[in-house]
Amino acid sequence: LVALCGVGGWLLLPVPTAQPLSLALWAGYSAVTGTVAGGMWVTAHECGHGAFCDNVVIQDTVGFVFHSLLLVPYFSWQRSHAVHHSRTNHVFEGEAHVPVQQQQFPQMLQQRRLLGAHVFGAINIFNKLVFGWPMYLMLGESGGPATGISNHFIPCNRRLYPTLAWKLKVLASDCGMVTTACLLYLLKQQVGAAYALALYGGPWLVLSAWLVLYTWLHHTDVHVPHYDADTWTWEQGAFSTIDRPYGRLLDTLHLHIGSTHVVHHLLPRLPHYHAAEATAAIRRAFPAHYRHDPTPVPAALWRVATRCIVVAKRSGAWWFVDPSPQKTPLKQKQVPATGG
């Protein structure tokens, strides 16, 4: 499907220019192609978990090729993502979208109150969806304090890449990225920079936004706690994940990664085609722990962007602080467990 979108854009759309019609057509192409590419990315993600097939060589080959074509360092991200799964919602040792603590960054709450919800929320969403993915790959932005600054291309972080084998895998991932960069350079030489950016760059930005949105929304909400070493358990972390409604089309394109994210954290090696059935079973077996928020995704994104700023410890867990002037953690209340 991704290849068909690219060929369709090449054959059917006009040469990209600054004209309004051209910009609108290529923006639509980017939105469609980047969204469709999410399924390709999720397939490689399953390969990294060992959920694609029983043959390790086959699944690593598929995952490496798919992620490299999408400018994702396959083995490097496989490792950091494994840390994310092993310490989900751990406020110190977590990986990816770990919330900042109020005592360390009080200025963030002050900025939110100074700018107001609308301005702060718009800036927060823009920064996260546009810059979040490359900043995470290059600097470990939103990674936990235990990891610190990290880089998915240079194996210098000992927590993420502790052994020589992992360091060599990082370099192998770099080779995949360089190969794709060379292919893009050849494309640019053939069709020009504007055409190459329109064909690949626009969809890549849309895909990056989807990756950040999924990770952000499925581990963050105003009433979802984080934990530290005194209270964290693997089960609590996994059940702190939230399923959200994306609709049939996106569920089909993205292999249900958003509507079955809880079971993905409980059973990461489960193939996506069993995830809906397993989610129904988890919902029946653990109704008090399973989290499904029926809020439409745009509304949930706005709530998270405007209200989930910093966390403070209260009642044994770390809760998001209410951004209103009283400066207290938001009242404990679980995201509703529903049948979805």
Side-chain angles (χ1 to χ4, degrees):
L1 285 177
V2 179
L4 286 175
C5 287
V7 172
W10 169 260
L11 294 176
L12 301 177
L13 295 183
V15 175
T17 66
Q19 296 299 316
L21 179 59
S22 176
L23 292 174
L25 289 173
W26 281 104
Y29 161 83
S30 296
V32 171
T33 306
T35 299
V36 170
M40 182 176 171
W41 185 92
V42 174
T43 300
H45 159 261
E46 287 210 347
C47 291
H49 277 292
F52 183 75
C53 68
D54 293 331
N55 189 302
V56 175
V57 174
I58 291 176
Q59 69 181 358
D60 276 346
T61 300
V62 172
F64 179 82
V65 171
F66 279 15
H67 265 178
S68 295
L69 289 173
L70 298 173
L71 288 180
V72 178
Y74 174 71
F75 292 111
S76 309
W77 186 80
Q78 179 189 45
R79 170 59 184 164
S80 64
H81 191 60
V83 175
H84 164 69
H85 271 260
S86 70
R87 292 294 186 273
T88 306
N89 277 43
H90 195 301
V91 77
F92 293 104
E93 298 179 10
E95 181 69 20
H97 293 285
V98 178
V100 298
Q101 300 163 32
Q102 183 181 14
Q103 66 268 31
Q104 293 182 330
F105 297 94
Q107 66 273 19
M108 291 189 65
L109 208 57
Q110 295 168 3
Q111 291 173 2
R112 160 64 171 81
R113 291 165 179 160
L114 177 65
L115 295 175
H118 290 85
V119 174
F120 183 91
I123 293 173
N124 198 17
I125 291 173
F126 179 83
N127 286 341
K128 284 280 201 304
L129 299 190
V130 175
F131 302 113
W133 179 241
M135 290 296 288
Y136 175 67
L137 292 180
M138 291 187 293
L139 298 175
E141 178 66 27
S142 84
T147 301
I149 296 176
S150 62
N151 185 292
H152 284 72
F153 312 108
I154 304 173
C156 56
N157 190 295
R158 293 183 179 180
R159 180 174 186 247
L160 286 184
Y161 313 115
T163 65
L164 177 61
W166 274 115
K167 289 175 170 53
L168 292 176
K169 286 185 174 183
V170 172
L171 298 180
S173 302
D174 292 346
C175 291
M177 301 276 286
V178 170
T179 300
T180 299
C182 290
L183 293 174
L184 291 173
Y185 176 77
L186 293 176
L187 176 65
K188 175 255 184 185
Q189 291 296 98
Q190 291 295 318
V191 303
Y195 232 135
L197 283 172
L199 283 169
Y200 187 92
W204 187 86
L205 286 174
V206 172
L207 172 63
S208 300
W210 276 116
L211 305 184
V212 172
L213 184 139
Y214 276 124
T215 312
W216 192 15
L217 289 191
H218 292 284
H219 300 287
T220 310
D221 213 328
V222 291
H223 302 302
V224 174
H226 287 70
Y227 304 95
D228 55 26
D230 294 333
T231 55
W232 183 89
T233 66
W234 184 88
E235 292 81 3
Q236 279 185 319
F239 273 117
S240 295
T241 305
I242 313 158
D243 285 346
R244 298 191 185 276
Y246 286 88
R248 183 173 298 179
L249 177 60
L250 286 175
D251 271 347
T252 300
L253 289 175
H254 294 170
L255 309 183
H256 295 267
I257 192 64
S259 59
T260 62
H261 210 76
V262 175
V263 78
H264 171 62
H265 270 262
L266 292 169
L267 302 167
R269 297 193 65 181
L270 183 75
H272 71 272
Y273 45 82
H274 290 310
E277 177 186 2
T279 294
I282 292 295
R283 185 172 62 238
R284 290 192 301 268
F286 303 99
H289 299 283
Y290 171 75
R291 297 176 189 270
H292 177 276
D293 181 12
T295 305
V297 169
L301 175 62
W302 184 252
R303 182 176 66 221
V304 168
T306 56
R307 300 184 64 192
C308 297
I309 314 301
V310 296
V311 292
K313 191 170 185 179
R314 185 174 74 88
S315 302
W318 294 76
W319 301 91
F320 284 102
V321 176
D322 192 331
S324 57
Q326 64 263 33
K327 302 181 182 180
T328 58
L330 290 159
K331 182 180 178 182
Q332 180 175 347
K333 176 183 176 183
Q334 286 199 347
V335 170
T338 74

PDB file of all heavy atoms in Angstrom, residues 73 80 95-96 131-145 147-154 156-157 160-161:
ATOM      1  N   PRO A  73      16.051   3.326  13.142  1.00  0.00           N
ATOM      2  CA  PRO A  73      17.155   2.401  13.431  1.00  0.00           C
ATOM      3  C   PRO A  73      16.618   1.152  14.135  1.00  0.00           C
ATOM      4  O   PRO A  73      16.347   1.167  15.332  1.00  0.00           O
ATOM      5  CB  PRO A  73      18.078   3.220  14.333  1.00  0.00           C
ATOM      6  CG  PRO A  73      17.169   4.210  14.999  1.00  0.00           C
ATOM      7  CD  PRO A  73      16.075   4.516  14.012  1.00  0.00           C
ATOM      8  N   SER A  80      15.761   0.116  23.010  1.00  0.00           N
ATOM      9  CA  SER A  80      15.153   1.144  23.868  1.00  0.00           C
ATOM     10  C   SER A  80      13.678   0.844  24.103  1.00  0.00           C
ATOM     11  O   SER A  80      13.142   1.108  25.181  1.00  0.00           O
ATOM     12  CB  SER A  80      15.327   2.538  23.252  1.00  0.00           C
ATOM     13  OG  SER A  80      14.631   2.656  22.023  1.00  0.00           O
ATOM     14  N   GLU A  95      11.068   4.594  29.958  1.00  0.00           N
ATOM     15  CA  GLU A  95      11.681   4.996  28.694  1.00  0.00           C
ATOM     16  C   GLU A  95      10.573   5.398  27.733  1.00  0.00           C
ATOM     17  O   GLU A  95       9.682   4.607  27.449  1.00  0.00           O
ATOM     18  CB  GLU A  95      12.500   3.842  28.118  1.00  0.00           C
ATOM     19  CG  GLU A  95      13.207   4.143  26.821  1.00  0.00           C
ATOM     20  CD  GLU A  95      14.349   5.141  26.977  1.00  0.00           C
ATOM     21  OE1 GLU A  95      14.857   5.323  28.104  1.00  0.00           O
ATOM     22  OE2 GLU A  95      14.726   5.742  25.953  1.00  0.00           O
ATOM     23  N   ALA A  96      10.619   6.626  27.258  1.00  0.00           N
ATOM     24  CA  ALA A  96       9.658   7.200  26.314  1.00  0.00           C
ATOM     25  C   ALA A  96       8.440   7.785  27.023  1.00  0.00           C
ATOM     26  O   ALA A  96       7.688   7.083  27.681  1.00  0.00           O
ATOM     27  CB  ALA A  96       9.208   6.190  25.263  1.00  0.00           C
ATOM     28  N   PHE A 131       8.517  17.457  16.319  1.00  0.00           N
ATOM     29  CA  PHE A 131       9.917  17.269  16.709  1.00  0.00           C
ATOM     30  C   PHE A 131      10.132  16.094  17.660  1.00  0.00           C
ATOM     31  O   PHE A 131      11.279  15.697  17.890  1.00  0.00           O
ATOM     32  CB  PHE A 131      10.451  18.550  17.377  1.00  0.00           C
ATOM     33  CG  PHE A 131      10.364  19.763  16.509  1.00  0.00           C
ATOM     34  CD1 PHE A 131       9.509  20.807  16.831  1.00  0.00           C
ATOM     35  CD2 PHE A 131      11.132  19.873  15.355  1.00  0.00           C
ATOM     36  CE1 PHE A 131       9.425  21.936  16.035  1.00  0.00           C
ATOM     37  CE2 PHE A 131      11.058  20.994  14.549  1.00  0.00           C
ATOM     38  CZ  PHE A 131      10.209  22.030  14.886  1.00  0.00           C
ATOM     39  N   GLY A 132       9.065  15.543  18.220  1.00  0.00           N
ATOM     40  CA  GLY A 132       9.211  14.541  19.268  1.00  0.00           C
ATOM     41  C   GLY A 132       9.986  13.310  18.851  1.00  0.00           C
ATOM     42  O   GLY A 132      10.890  12.849  19.572  1.00  0.00           O
ATOM     43  N   TRP A 133       9.654  12.746  17.670  1.00  0.00           N
ATOM     44  CA  TRP A 133      10.305  11.508  17.243  1.00  0.00           C
ATOM     45  C   TRP A 133      11.792  11.697  16.924  1.00  0.00           C
ATOM     46  O   TRP A 133      12.633  10.968  17.473  1.00  0.00           O
ATOM     47  CB  TRP A 133       9.550  10.919  16.056  1.00  0.00           C
ATOM     48  CG  TRP A 133      10.123   9.664  15.491  1.00  0.00           C
ATOM     49  CD1 TRP A 133      10.585   9.486  14.231  1.00  0.00           C
ATOM     50  CD2 TRP A 133      10.291   8.397  16.143  1.00  0.00           C
ATOM     51  NE1 TRP A 133      11.020   8.192  14.048  1.00  0.00           N
ATOM     52  CE2 TRP A 133      10.860   7.506  15.217  1.00  0.00           C
ATOM     53  CE3 TRP A 133      10.014   7.941  17.436  1.00  0.00           C
ATOM     54  CZ2 TRP A 133      11.160   6.177  15.520  1.00  0.00           C
ATOM     55  CZ3 TRP A 133      10.318   6.613  17.752  1.00  0.00           C
ATOM     56  CH2 TRP A 133      10.879   5.758  16.805  1.00  0.00           C
ATOM     57  N   PRO A 134      12.191  12.664  16.091  1.00  0.00           N
ATOM     58  CA  PRO A 134      13.631  12.832  15.849  1.00  0.00           C
ATOM     59  C   PRO A 134      14.407  13.234  17.105  1.00  0.00           C
ATOM     60  O   PRO A 134      15.553  12.808  17.288  1.00  0.00           O
ATOM     61  CB  PRO A 134      13.702  13.922  14.767  1.00  0.00           C
ATOM     62  CG  PRO A 134      12.371  14.580  14.769  1.00  0.00           C
ATOM     63  CD  PRO A 134      11.385  13.550  15.218  1.00  0.00           C
ATOM     64  N   MET A 135      13.782  14.025  17.987  1.00  0.00           N
ATOM     65  CA  MET A 135      14.469  14.406  19.217  1.00  0.00           C
ATOM     66  C   MET A 135      14.665  13.211  20.140  1.00  0.00           C
ATOM     67  O   MET A 135      15.670  13.123  20.854  1.00  0.00           O
ATOM     68  CB  MET A 135      13.676  15.511  19.930  1.00  0.00           C
ATOM     69  CG  MET A 135      13.709  16.850  19.221  1.00  0.00           C
ATOM     70  SD  MET A 135      15.389  17.562  19.148  1.00  0.00           S
ATOM     71  CE  MET A 135      15.600  18.022  20.860  1.00  0.00           C
ATOM     72  N   TYR A 136      13.714  12.285  20.126  1.00  0.00           N
ATOM     73  CA  TYR A 136      13.885  11.071  20.935  1.00  0.00           C
ATOM     74  C   TYR A 136      15.013  10.216  20.377  1.00  0.00           C
ATOM     75  O   TYR A 136      15.862   9.712  21.121  1.00  0.00           O
ATOM     76  CB  TYR A 136      12.589  10.272  20.977  1.00  0.00           C
ATOM     77  CG  TYR A 136      12.757   8.953  21.698  1.00  0.00           C
ATOM     78  CD1 TYR A 136      13.026   8.925  23.074  1.00  0.00           C
ATOM     79  CD2 TYR A 136      12.680   7.740  21.014  1.00  0.00           C
ATOM     80  CE1 TYR A 136      13.211   7.724  23.733  1.00  0.00           C
ATOM     81  CE2 TYR A 136      12.858   6.540  21.671  1.00  0.00           C
ATOM     82  CZ  TYR A 136      13.118   6.535  23.034  1.00  0.00           C
ATOM     83  OH  TYR A 136      13.318   5.345  23.688  1.00  0.00           O
ATOM     84  N   LEU A 137      15.053  10.044  19.072  1.00  0.00           N
ATOM     85  CA  LEU A 137      16.099   9.219  18.473  1.00  0.00           C
ATOM     86  C   LEU A 137      17.482   9.821  18.672  1.00  0.00           C
ATOM     87  O   LEU A 137      18.456   9.101  18.913  1.00  0.00           O
ATOM     88  CB  LEU A 137      15.832   9.033  16.980  1.00  0.00           C
ATOM     89  CG  LEU A 137      14.611   8.199  16.587  1.00  0.00           C
ATOM     90  CD1 LEU A 137      14.499   8.121  15.069  1.00  0.00           C
ATOM     91  CD2 LEU A 137      14.660   6.805  17.192  1.00  0.00           C
ATOM     92  N   MET A 138      17.594  11.141  18.604  1.00  0.00           N
ATOM     93  CA  MET A 138      18.906  11.783  18.665  1.00  0.00           C
ATOM     94  C   MET A 138      19.368  12.097  20.077  1.00  0.00           C
ATOM     95  O   MET A 138      20.564  12.006  20.382  1.00  0.00           O
ATOM     96  CB  MET A 138      18.893  13.056  17.823  1.00  0.00           C
ATOM     97  CG  MET A 138      18.781  12.798  16.329  1.00  0.00           C
ATOM     98  SD  MET A 138      18.973  14.283  15.318  1.00  0.00           S
ATOM     99  CE  MET A 138      17.488  15.199  15.771  1.00  0.00           C
ATOM    100  N   LEU A 139      18.419  12.465  20.966  1.00  0.00           N
ATOM    101  CA  LEU A 139      18.808  12.931  22.301  1.00  0.00           C
ATOM    102  C   LEU A 139      18.124  12.194  23.440  1.00  0.00           C
ATOM    103  O   LEU A 139      18.383  12.484  24.610  1.00  0.00           O
ATOM    104  CB  LEU A 139      18.523  14.436  22.432  1.00  0.00           C
ATOM    105  CG  LEU A 139      19.290  15.366  21.480  1.00  0.00           C
ATOM    106  CD1 LEU A 139      18.804  16.797  21.639  1.00  0.00           C
ATOM    107  CD2 LEU A 139      20.786  15.277  21.736  1.00  0.00           C
ATOM    108  N   GLY A 140      17.228  11.265  23.116  1.00  0.00           N
ATOM    109  CA  GLY A 140      16.507  10.585  24.187  1.00  0.00           C
ATOM    110  C   GLY A 140      15.470  11.467  24.844  1.00  0.00           C
ATOM    111  O   GLY A 140      15.094  11.229  25.989  1.00  0.00           O
ATOM    112  N   GLU A 141      14.978  12.484  24.138  1.00  0.00           N
ATOM    113  CA  GLU A 141      13.964  13.391  24.675  1.00  0.00           C
ATOM    114  C   GLU A 141      12.741  12.604  25.124  1.00  0.00           C
ATOM    115  O   GLU A 141      12.232  11.758  24.396  1.00  0.00           O
ATOM    116  CB  GLU A 141      13.565  14.417  23.623  1.00  0.00           C
ATOM    117  CG  GLU A 141      12.484  15.392  24.048  1.00  0.00           C
ATOM    118  CD  GLU A 141      12.932  16.306  25.165  1.00  0.00           C
ATOM    119  OE1 GLU A 141      14.145  16.549  25.272  1.00  0.00           O
ATOM    120  OE2 GLU A 141      12.067  16.773  25.923  1.00  0.00           O
ATOM    121  N   SER A 142      12.288  12.842  26.337  1.00  0.00           N
ATOM    122  CA  SER A 142      11.169  12.176  27.017  1.00  0.00           C
ATOM    123  C   SER A 142      11.561  10.825  27.594  1.00  0.00           C
ATOM    124  O   SER A 142      10.738  10.130  28.170  1.00  0.00           O
ATOM    125  CB  SER A 142       9.925  12.013  26.118  1.00  0.00           C
ATOM    126  OG  SER A 142       9.999  10.858  25.301  1.00  0.00           O
ATOM    127  N   GLY A 143      12.837  10.445  27.467  1.00  0.00           N
ATOM    128  CA  GLY A 143      13.305   9.254  28.162  1.00  0.00           C
ATOM    129  C   GLY A 143      13.416   9.520  29.645  1.00  0.00           C
ATOM    130  O   GLY A 143      13.365  10.665  30.103  1.00  0.00           O
ATOM    131  N   GLY A 144      13.563   8.485  30.434  1.00  0.00           N
ATOM    132  CA  GLY A 144      13.585   8.643  31.890  1.00  0.00           C
ATOM    133  C   GLY A 144      14.910   9.128  32.425  1.00  0.00           C
ATOM    134  O   GLY A 144      15.945   9.081  31.741  1.00  0.00           O
ATOM    135  N   PRO A 145      14.919   9.609  33.684  1.00  0.00           N
ATOM    136  CA  PRO A 145      16.154  10.098  34.312  1.00  0.00           C
ATOM    137  C   PRO A 145      17.252   9.040  34.388  1.00  0.00           C
ATOM    138  O   PRO A 145      18.437   9.366  34.309  1.00  0.00           O
ATOM    139  CB  PRO A 145      15.698  10.516  35.711  1.00  0.00           C
ATOM    140  CG  PRO A 145      14.236  10.777  35.584  1.00  0.00           C
ATOM    141  CD  PRO A 145      13.738   9.814  34.559  1.00  0.00           C
ATOM    142  N   THR A 147      18.056   6.811  32.245  1.00  0.00           N
ATOM    143  CA  THR A 147      18.754   6.690  30.966  1.00  0.00           C
ATOM    144  C   THR A 147      19.541   7.943  30.635  1.00  0.00           C
ATOM    145  O   THR A 147      20.658   7.877  30.140  1.00  0.00           O
ATOM    146  CB  THR A 147      17.751   6.406  29.826  1.00  0.00           C
ATOM    147  OG1 THR A 147      17.048   5.198  30.119  1.00  0.00           O
ATOM    148  CG2 THR A 147      18.467   6.260  28.501  1.00  0.00           C
ATOM    149  N   GLY A 148      18.979   9.097  30.946  1.00  0.00           N
ATOM    150  CA  GLY A 148      19.647  10.347  30.633  1.00  0.00           C
ATOM    151  C   GLY A 148      19.671  10.600  29.140  1.00  0.00           C
ATOM    152  O   GLY A 148      18.838  10.098  28.383  1.00  0.00           O
ATOM    153  N   ILE A 149      20.639  11.384  28.700  1.00  0.00           N
ATOM    154  CA  ILE A 149      20.770  11.678  27.275  1.00  0.00           C
ATOM    155  C   ILE A 149      21.207  10.415  26.540  1.00  0.00           C
ATOM    156  O   ILE A 149      22.138   9.727  26.955  1.00  0.00           O
ATOM    157  CB  ILE A 149      21.778  12.813  27.045  1.00  0.00           C
ATOM    158  CG1 ILE A 149      21.265  14.117  27.686  1.00  0.00           C
ATOM    159  CG2 ILE A 149      22.019  13.032  25.551  1.00  0.00           C
ATOM    160  CD1 ILE A 149      22.233  15.266  27.597  1.00  0.00           C
ATOM    161  N   SER A 150      20.514  10.109  25.471  1.00  0.00           N
ATOM    162  CA  SER A 150      20.844   8.912  24.711  1.00  0.00           C
ATOM    163  C   SER A 150      20.785   9.227  23.225  1.00  0.00           C
ATOM    164  O   SER A 150      20.231  10.245  22.813  1.00  0.00           O
ATOM    165  CB  SER A 150      19.888   7.760  25.043  1.00  0.00           C
ATOM    166  OG  SER A 150      18.555   8.096  24.699  1.00  0.00           O
ATOM    167  N   ASN A 151      21.352   8.349  22.437  1.00  0.00           N
ATOM    168  CA  ASN A 151      21.370   8.525  20.995  1.00  0.00           C
ATOM    169  C   ASN A 151      21.228   7.152  20.356  1.00  0.00           C
ATOM    170  O   ASN A 151      21.937   6.211  20.722  1.00  0.00           O
ATOM    171  CB  ASN A 151      22.684   9.198  20.564  1.00  0.00           C
ATOM    172  CG  ASN A 151      22.708   9.523  19.086  1.00  0.00           C
ATOM    173  OD1 ASN A 151      22.752   8.639  18.240  1.00  0.00           O
ATOM    174  ND2 ASN A 151      22.678  10.809  18.772  1.00  0.00           N
ATOM    175  N   HIS A 152      20.285   7.028  19.423  1.00  0.00           N
ATOM    176  CA  HIS A 152      20.027   5.737  18.800  1.00  0.00           C
ATOM    177  C   HIS A 152      20.980   5.426  17.652  1.00  0.00           C
ATOM    178  O   HIS A 152      20.865   4.367  17.029  1.00  0.00           O
ATOM    179  CB  HIS A 152      18.579   5.688  18.295  1.00  0.00           C
ATOM    180  CG  HIS A 152      17.570   5.494  19.369  1.00  0.00           C
ATOM    181  ND1 HIS A 152      17.246   6.476  20.283  1.00  0.00           N
ATOM    182  CD2 HIS A 152      16.807   4.414  19.693  1.00  0.00           C
ATOM    183  CE1 HIS A 152      16.323   6.021  21.108  1.00  0.00           C
ATOM    184  NE2 HIS A 152      16.050   4.778  20.777  1.00  0.00           N
ATOM    185  N   PHE A 153      21.914   6.321  17.371  1.00  0.00           N
ATOM    186  CA  PHE A 153      22.853   6.119  16.274  1.00  0.00           C
ATOM    187  C   PHE A 153      24.292   5.946  16.747  1.00  0.00           C
ATOM    188  O   PHE A 153      25.123   5.397  16.041  1.00  0.00           O
ATOM    189  CB  PHE A 153      22.776   7.301  15.304  1.00  0.00           C
ATOM    190  CG  PHE A 153      21.375   7.668  14.934  1.00  0.00           C
ATOM    191  CD1 PHE A 153      20.780   8.831  15.404  1.00  0.00           C
ATOM    192  CD2 PHE A 153      20.612   6.823  14.134  1.00  0.00           C
ATOM    193  CE1 PHE A 153      19.477   9.158  15.070  1.00  0.00           C
ATOM    194  CE2 PHE A 153      19.308   7.137  13.798  1.00  0.00           C
ATOM    195  CZ  PHE A 153      18.732   8.288  14.273  1.00  0.00           C
ATOM    196  N   ILE A 154      24.575   6.432  17.954  1.00  0.00           N
ATOM    197  CA  ILE A 154      25.910   6.289  18.548  1.00  0.00           C
ATOM    198  C   ILE A 154      25.744   5.504  19.848  1.00  0.00           C
ATOM    199  O   ILE A 154      25.092   5.980  20.780  1.00  0.00           O
ATOM    200  CB  ILE A 154      26.542   7.661  18.832  1.00  0.00           C
ATOM    201  CG1 ILE A 154      26.598   8.494  17.548  1.00  0.00           C
ATOM    202  CG2 ILE A 154      27.941   7.499  19.425  1.00  0.00           C
ATOM    203  CD1 ILE A 154      27.046   9.928  17.764  1.00  0.00           C
ATOM    204  N   CYS A 156      26.639   5.058  22.819  1.00  0.00           N
ATOM    205  CA  CYS A 156      27.433   5.554  23.946  1.00  0.00           C
ATOM    206  C   CYS A 156      26.714   5.427  25.283  1.00  0.00           C
ATOM    207  O   CYS A 156      27.336   5.595  26.335  1.00  0.00           O
ATOM    208  CB  CYS A 156      27.832   7.004  23.703  1.00  0.00           C
ATOM    209  SG  CYS A 156      26.434   8.108  23.404  1.00  0.00           S
ATOM    210  N   ASN A 157      25.396   5.157  25.270  1.00  0.00           N
ATOM    211  CA  ASN A 157      24.646   5.068  26.524  1.00  0.00           C
ATOM    212  C   ASN A 157      24.731   3.641  27.055  1.00  0.00           C
ATOM    213  O   ASN A 157      24.209   2.701  26.457  1.00  0.00           O
ATOM    214  CB  ASN A 157      23.190   5.468  26.280  1.00  0.00           C
ATOM    215  CG  ASN A 157      22.417   5.642  27.575  1.00  0.00           C
ATOM    216  OD1 ASN A 157      22.222   4.686  28.320  1.00  0.00           O
ATOM    217  ND2 ASN A 157      21.986   6.855  27.862  1.00  0.00           N
ATOM    218  N   LEU A 160      21.314   1.688  27.821  1.00  0.00           N
ATOM    219  CA  LEU A 160      20.585   1.184  26.665  1.00  0.00           C
ATOM    220  C   LEU A 160      21.386   0.126  25.911  1.00  0.00           C
ATOM    221  O   LEU A 160      20.827  -0.859  25.426  1.00  0.00           O
ATOM    222  CB  LEU A 160      20.231   2.337  25.723  1.00  0.00           C
ATOM    223  CG  LEU A 160      19.108   3.270  26.165  1.00  0.00           C
ATOM    224  CD1 LEU A 160      18.815   4.290  25.071  1.00  0.00           C
ATOM    225  CD2 LEU A 160      17.841   2.507  26.513  1.00  0.00           C
ATOM    226  N   TYR A 161      22.690   0.351  25.779  1.00  0.00           N
ATOM    227  CA  TYR A 161      23.514  -0.555  24.971  1.00  0.00           C
ATOM    228  C   TYR A 161      24.695  -1.044  25.812  1.00  0.00           C
ATOM    229  O   TYR A 161      25.836  -0.615  25.639  1.00  0.00           O
ATOM    230  CB  TYR A 161      24.001   0.170  23.714  1.00  0.00           C
ATOM    231  CG  TYR A 161      22.882   0.926  23.021  1.00  0.00           C
ATOM    232  CD1 TYR A 161      22.900   2.314  22.924  1.00  0.00           C
ATOM    233  CD2 TYR A 161      21.783   0.245  22.506  1.00  0.00           C
ATOM    234  CE1 TYR A 161      21.858   2.995  22.305  1.00  0.00           C
ATOM    235  CE2 TYR A 161      20.742   0.925  21.884  1.00  0.00           C
ATOM    236  CZ  TYR A 161      20.789   2.296  21.803  1.00  0.00           C
ATOM    237  OH  TYR A 161      19.762   2.973  21.210  1.00  0.00           O
TER     238      TYR A 161
END
